[in-house]
């Protein structure tokens, strides 16, 4: 019977497909008003019939709500304007739909939930007026708290949220590899908190979800696995800490303080039953002048099975300071951090930390002796994206390195940045070995406490930890910041274990600032770019790099060369020829259209020719180096298949998009 019904149904679908002939390829999408390179796109407000003509016959399959489509044609028809839409730029399988059922999505801006930070789960409001009421109330935190409590109670009871709040953001992190989502921004406007006067953006959003794209996880023989509790997941939570130590001549006297600090933690954990869930590793690095220094970066102790193993102490015993000085005061610390990221086995680690200990600044991308060619930002992103690791920096400000302190601090603050929070950076004033030892001990002890809490089924409590002994205020703040990062990583870990998903939201309003802590952002903006757009950005910036480097001794030729090269690349060279006097670098390089209308202002691409001519050669080279790094980031994004997202089953591989951080724009 079931086979017969399936056969009848299949015949009905086949007949419907034969009767409904979609329009042929639709040509090129329409350009946005006033644009020469950006196509018009829309999101459908609800599932719609695919019609082969204006007001024509509906196809057998509906076009799904919230799916992005390119616009190929506008025309008048029954009920007003109609749009000819297709999922891809080539116009295959185009169909007609009423314009009133579509929402313009000009800049393809989306949001994603942030887990790093001190904020409450996001509230999705039914309408803008009610969101305004909370923002402009005398106590936004209290009013939002009551609404959040009601929504949380409904969720706990398995009921949908009711009233002013239609959904609650996730409490845990969402594993994008299994439960990918995007939050398109449909419209926005600024508002001011009545209390405190801080600005926030009120955003009309939807949620695009693709839950478990690879299907549900395989079940063990014998049926479905029993659901795990959060307590059971916490008992498996592991933390890994790898110390990356400068082993040049000036650092020999600091090995003992690090050994003593970790040794104290090992002895303490040996008396507990959780020592196997905190692991220490050790990497030493020197500099590009190898000769009798023996190595550039080397693993002295891998991340073992637990904190109490002998490998770390054995590694410290084997670590020796270099016998000769290297060239200049700076060292290749980025080589040591990169070694810790790539050479160690971080599998099974829920929260990973790399603790850099050094008295010298790094060799950055403009340094001929840099082995990595990386900047602090690029290296930090690599650590986070490839292994979900965070870098902490213990910077020894010794008298010998006084001239290097400011630039080194700036680099290490960027390397240890954690979103809007203060970085995981600690300055050891005067290079005091005792201050280094106690700071390393408090850091390790706090993470040991976090492991003990997890073993007892409790989440990391950043404010509940009190360092032993006489910790300074700076040490307490540093440890609390580290624990906040550990907590956010734990929430990511728990979210992946629990299968946390984004809420199911059709249309709603959110504020991009937390009501309790307006300095924190529970969401961050991303710009979806296609492969062609990313390629355009890369090519445009490469033109700027090439012409900038060849014009360093002839700065007056720079803008003219950029315009000339851009014209050769452009699909509309007539547009380039009309670049006016006083145009910006973005105009010359043909990327201004991508930057216009974003909640972002590029100080770099707003440079005019006069600005360029006023810069020194070193300032010009610094700008070129920055562009070079961005080009490398674009190339890296293009190579990693996992970075590219198909927004629906209708979108092919060529129509996939990459969620780019606004910071990565030029």
């Amino acid at each position: 019977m079931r086979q017969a019904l399936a056969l009848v149904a299949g015949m009905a679908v086949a007949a419907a497909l034969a009767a409904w002939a979609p329009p042929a390829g639709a040509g090129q999408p329409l350009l946005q008003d006033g644009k020469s390179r950006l196509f018009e796109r829309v999101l459908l407000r609800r599932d719609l019939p695919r019609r082969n003509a204006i007001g024509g016959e509906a196809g057998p399959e509906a076009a799904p709500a919230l799916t992005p489509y390119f616009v190929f044609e506008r025309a008048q028809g029954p009920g007003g304007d109609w749009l000819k839409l297709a999922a891809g730029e080539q116009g295959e399988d185009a169909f007609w739909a009423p314009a009133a059922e579509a929402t313009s999505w000009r800049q393809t801006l989306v949001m994603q939930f942030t887990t790093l930070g001190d904020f409450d789960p996001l509230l999705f409001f039914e309408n803008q007026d009610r969101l305004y009421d909370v923002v402009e109330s005398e106590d936004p935190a209290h009013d939002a708290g009551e609404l959040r409590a009601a929504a949380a109670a409904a969720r706990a009871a398995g009921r949908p949220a009711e009233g002013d709040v239609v959904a609650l953001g996730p409490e845990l992190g969402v594993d994008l590899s299994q439960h990918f989502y995007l939050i398109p921004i449909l419209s926005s406007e600024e508002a001011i908190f009545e209390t405190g006067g801080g600005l926030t953006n009120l955003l009309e959003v939807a949620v695009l979800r693709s839950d478990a794209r690879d299907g549900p996880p395989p079940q063990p023989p014998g049926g479905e696995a029993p659901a795990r509790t959060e307590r059971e997941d916490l008992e498996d939570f592991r933390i890994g800490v790898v110390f990356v130590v400068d082993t040049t001549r000036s650092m020999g006297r600091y090995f003992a303080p690090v050994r003593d600090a970790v040794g104290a933690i090992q002895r303490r954990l040996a008396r507990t039953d959780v020592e196997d869930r905190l692991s220490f590793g050790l990497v030493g690095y020197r500099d590009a002048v190898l000769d009798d220094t023996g190595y550039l970066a080397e693993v002295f102790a891998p991340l073992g099975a637990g904190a109490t193993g002998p490998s770390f102490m054995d590694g410290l015993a084997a670590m020796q300071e270099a016998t000769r000085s290297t060239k200049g005061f700076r060292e290749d610390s980025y080589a040591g951090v990169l070694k810790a990221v790539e050479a160690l086995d971080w599998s099974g680690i829920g929260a990973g930390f790399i603790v850099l200990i050094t008295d010298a600044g790094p060799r950055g991308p403009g340094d001929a002796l840099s082995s990595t060619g990386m900047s602090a930002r690029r290296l930090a992103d690599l650590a986070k994206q490839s292994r979900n690791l965070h870098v902490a920096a213990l910077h020894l400000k010794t008298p010998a390195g006084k001239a290097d302190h400011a630039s080194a601090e700036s680099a290490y603050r960027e390397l240890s940045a954690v979103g809007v929070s203060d970085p995981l950076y600690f300055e050891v004033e005067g290079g005091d070995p005792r201050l280094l030892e106690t700071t390393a001990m408090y850091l390790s002890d706090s993470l040991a406490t976090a492991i003990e809490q997890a073993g007892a089924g409790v989440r990391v409590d950043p404010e509940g930890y009190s360092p032993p002994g006489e910790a300074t205020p700076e040490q307490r703040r540093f440890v609390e910041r580290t624990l906040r990062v550990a907590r956010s990583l734990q929430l990511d870990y728990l979210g992946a274990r629990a299968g946390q998903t984004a809420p199911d939201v059709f249309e709603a309003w959110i504020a991009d600032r937390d009501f309790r802590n307006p300095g924190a952002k529970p969401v961050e903006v991303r710009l979806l770019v296609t492969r062609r757009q990313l390629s355009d950005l890369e090519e445009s910036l490469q033109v700027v790099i090439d012409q900038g480097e060849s014009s360093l001794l002839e700065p007056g030729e720079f803008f003219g060369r950029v315009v000339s090269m851009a014209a050769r690349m452009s699909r509309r060279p007539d547009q380039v020829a009309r670049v006016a006097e006083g145009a910006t670098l973005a105009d010359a390089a043909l990327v201004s259209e991508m930057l216009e209308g974003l909640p972002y202002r590029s100080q770099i691409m707003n440079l005019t020719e006069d600005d360029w001519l006023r810069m020194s050669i070193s300032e010009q080279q610094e700008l070129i180096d920055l562009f070079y790094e961005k080009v490398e980031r674009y190339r890296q994004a293009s190579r990693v298949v996992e970075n590219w997202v198909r927004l629906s089953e209708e979108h092919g591989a060529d129509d996939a998009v990459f969620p780019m951080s606004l910071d990565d724009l030029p």
Side-chain angles (χ1 to χ4, degrees):
M1 182 66 178
R2 287 183 180 178
Q3 291 178 335
L5 288 175
L7 178 61
V8 172
M11 294 174 61
V13 170
L17 288 171
W20 186 81
Q28 179 173 294
L30 299 179
L31 292 167
Q32 295 181 18
D33 291 341
K35 306 291 185 182
S36 62
R37 296 161 68 86
L38 293 183
F39 294 133
E40 186 174 354
R41 301 185 80 177
V42 297
L43 294 171
L44 297 184
R45 293 181 176 274
R46 60 186 180 91
D47 291 356
L48 287 179
R50 300 170 184 266
R51 302 190 183 277
N52 59 357
I54 298 174
E57 184 177 355
E61 296 182 2
L66 300 181
T67 300
Y69 289 100
F70 289 96
V71 179
F72 286 82
E73 192 175 340
R74 288 180 176 273
Q76 284 287 319
D81 289 341
W82 284 66
L83 304 176
K84 190 176 187 179
L85 307 175
E89 290 186 26
Q90 304 306 313
E92 299 93 341
D93 300 324
F95 62 94
W96 287 90
E101 298 288 356
T103 297
S104 177
W105 195 24
R106 292 178 57 83
Q107 290 291 358
T108 59
L109 288 177
V110 298
M111 309 294 289
Q112 288 188 332
F113 296 112
T114 307
T115 54
L116 278 172
D118 180 21
F119 41 74
D120 298 312
L122 190 68
L123 292 173
F124 288 82
F125 286 81
E126 183 179 27
N127 58 65
Q128 185 182 22
D129 291 340
R130 188 63 183 103
L131 174 55
Y132 257 120
D133 290 342
V134 176
V135 170
E136 296 179 342
S137 70
E138 294 182 358
D139 192 347
H142 174 269
D143 291 0
E146 289 188 337
L147 293 171
R148 186 175 292 105
R155 184 163 66 181
R159 296 183 285 104
E162 301 175 353
D164 299 321
V165 173
V166 297
L168 193 60
E171 181 185 4
L172 305 174
V174 179
D175 183 355
L176 295 180
S177 67
Q178 292 297 318
H179 303 284
F180 191 85
Y181 71 91
L182 294 171
I183 306 176
I185 301 174
L186 308 179
S187 63
S188 66
E189 62 180 80
E190 286 187 345
I192 300 176
F193 282 106
E194 185 72 20
T195 304
L199 284 174
T200 182
N201 289 303
L202 307 187
L203 309 172
E204 184 184 15
V205 299
V207 177
L208 299 176
R209 302 198 322 178
S210 180
D211 292 340
R213 289 179 295 171
D214 298 325
Q219 299 297 336
E224 186 175 341
R228 288 176 58 89
T229 65
E230 180 172 298
R231 183 188 182 95
E232 290 173 322
D233 287 334
L234 284 171
E235 289 175 351
D236 292 338
F237 181 65
R238 294 182 61 207
I239 295 179
V241 183
V242 173
F243 290 93
V244 175
V245 182
D246 180 345
T247 62
T248 51
R249 290 189 67 182
S250 60
M251 289 292 294
R253 66 189 182 122
Y254 296 107
F255 298 168
V258 175
R259 180 190 63 232
D260 294 344
V262 175
I265 302 307
Q266 289 186 325
R267 289 190 294 275
R268 179 194 138 184
L269 286 174
R271 299 190 297 270
T272 73
D273 61 354
V274 296
E275 77 278 2
D276 61 329
R277 293 197 287 279
L278 176 62
S279 297
F280 293 111
L282 182 64
V283 170
Y285 73 89
R286 290 178 179 171
D287 200 38
V289 180
L290 300 182
D291 293 343
D292 63 351
T293 63
Y295 58 85
L296 174 59
E298 183 169 319
V299 176
F300 283 88
L303 275 169
T308 57
S311 63
F312 187 89
M313 292 305 184
D314 293 344
L316 265 176
M319 182 183 285
Q320 300 293 325
E321 64 178 299
T323 58
R324 59 171 291 185
S325 298
T326 51
K327 186 175 181 179
F329 189 80
R330 292 187 175 186
E331 312 293 352
D332 203 355
S333 57
Y334 293 168
V337 174
L338 186 61
K339 189 78 167 181
V341 173
E342 296 183 337
L344 293 175
D345 181 9
W346 293 93
S347 59
I349 298 295
F353 293 90
I354 295 172
V355 182
L356 174 65
I357 301 177
T358 183
D359 65 345
R363 296 197 182 279
D367 192 321
L369 296 179
S370 168
S371 66
T372 67
M374 292 185 175
S375 69
R377 165 75 191 284
R378 185 178 170 202
L379 181 56
D381 283 352
L382 175 67
K384 292 170 188 173
Q385 293 170 5
S386 62
R387 301 286 192 275
N388 203 18
L389 308 175
H390 284 269
V391 181
L394 302 183
H395 180 199
L396 301 159
K397 289 190 170 180
T398 61
K402 185 175 181 180
D404 178 65
H405 288 170
S407 60
E409 177 177 344
S410 176
Y412 293 140
R413 282 184 173 275
E414 188 169 15
L415 180 65
S416 60
V418 287
V420 298
S421 302
D422 290 334
L424 301 182
Y425 171 86
F426 185 85
E427 60 181 54
V428 182
E429 198 61 52
D432 182 356
R434 175 59 182 164
L435 183 59
L436 171 63
E437 179 183 348
T438 56
T439 304
M441 184 185 70
Y442 296 148
L443 172 65
S444 301
D445 186 69
S446 67
L447 296 176
T449 301
I451 283 295
E452 290 174 331
Q453 291 172 341
V458 179
R459 296 181 188 177
V460 174
D461 180 9
E463 298 177 356
Y465 174 76
S466 180
E470 299 294 329
T472 67
E474 291 77 14
Q475 287 174 321
R476 291 179 181 276
R477 285 192 290 270
F478 174 64
V479 168
E480 182 178 336
R481 291 197 300 271
T482 304
L483 285 174
R484 289 194 183 282
V485 174
R487 178 180 173 84
S488 72
L489 294 174
Q490 190 179 64
L491 293 179
D492 287 341
Y493 164 85
L494 291 172
R497 288 292 190 100
Q500 177 75 71
T501 63
D504 187 9
V505 177
F506 184 73
E507 284 187 14
W509 285 83
I510 64 172
D512 70 349
R513 298 278 180 171
D514 185 63
F515 294 111
R516 177 175 54 83
N517 180 14
K521 286 189 172 184
V523 286
E524 56 183 341
V525 181
R526 292 278 191 261
L527 176 68
L528 295 187
V529 295
T530 63
R531 288 189 180 275
R532 190 175 80 173
Q533 289 172 329
L534 190 64
S535 176
D536 285 348
L537 275 177
E538 179 188 328
E539 291 179 2
S540 296
L541 290 195
Q542 191 63 55
V543 166
V544 174
I545 292 169
D546 294 341
Q547 302 311 313
E549 289 180 335
S550 64
S551 304
L552 285 176
L553 299 180
E554 299 176 291
E557 303 293 324
F558 173 54
F559 261 65
R561 290 179 178 179
V562 170
V563 171
S564 176
M565 287 299 300
R568 295 181 201 176
M569 294 164 45
S570 175
R571 301 177 182 86
R572 298 284 300 277
D574 56 308
Q575 297 289 331
V576 185
R578 294 198 296 269
V579 174
E581 182 179 354
T584 66
L585 189 55
D587 297 324
L590 298 180
V591 296
S592 58
E593 287 189 354
M594 289 194 68
L595 304 182
E596 290 170 358
L598 296 176
Y600 161 86
R601 295 293 178 267
S602 171
Q603 295 178 342
I604 299 169
M605 296 306 282
N606 283 335
L607 287 173
T608 65
E609 186 168 11
D610 288 341
D611 295 328
W612 175 262
L613 293 175
R614 282 193 291 267
M615 296 171 69
S616 66
I617 291 180
S618 62
E619 289 173 329
Q620 292 172 350
Q621 185 63 60
E622 185 178 348
L623 181 61
I624 292 170
D625 289 342
L626 178 61
F627 282 163
Y628 175 79
E629 181 185 338
K630 290 182 182 291
V631 167
E632 287 300 308
R633 293 170 69 84
Y634 300 160
R635 289 172 179 167
Q636 181 182 355
S638 296
R639 288 192 296 266
V640 180
V641 176
E642 292 79 6
N643 286 336
W644 294 89
V645 181
R646 292 171 55 191
L647 295 178
S648 76
E649 292 299 323
E650 297 184 58
H651 291 80
D654 292 340
D655 299 312
V657 293
F658 170 58
M660 175 185 285
S661 167
L662 295 188
D663 290 340
D664 288 340
L665 288 168

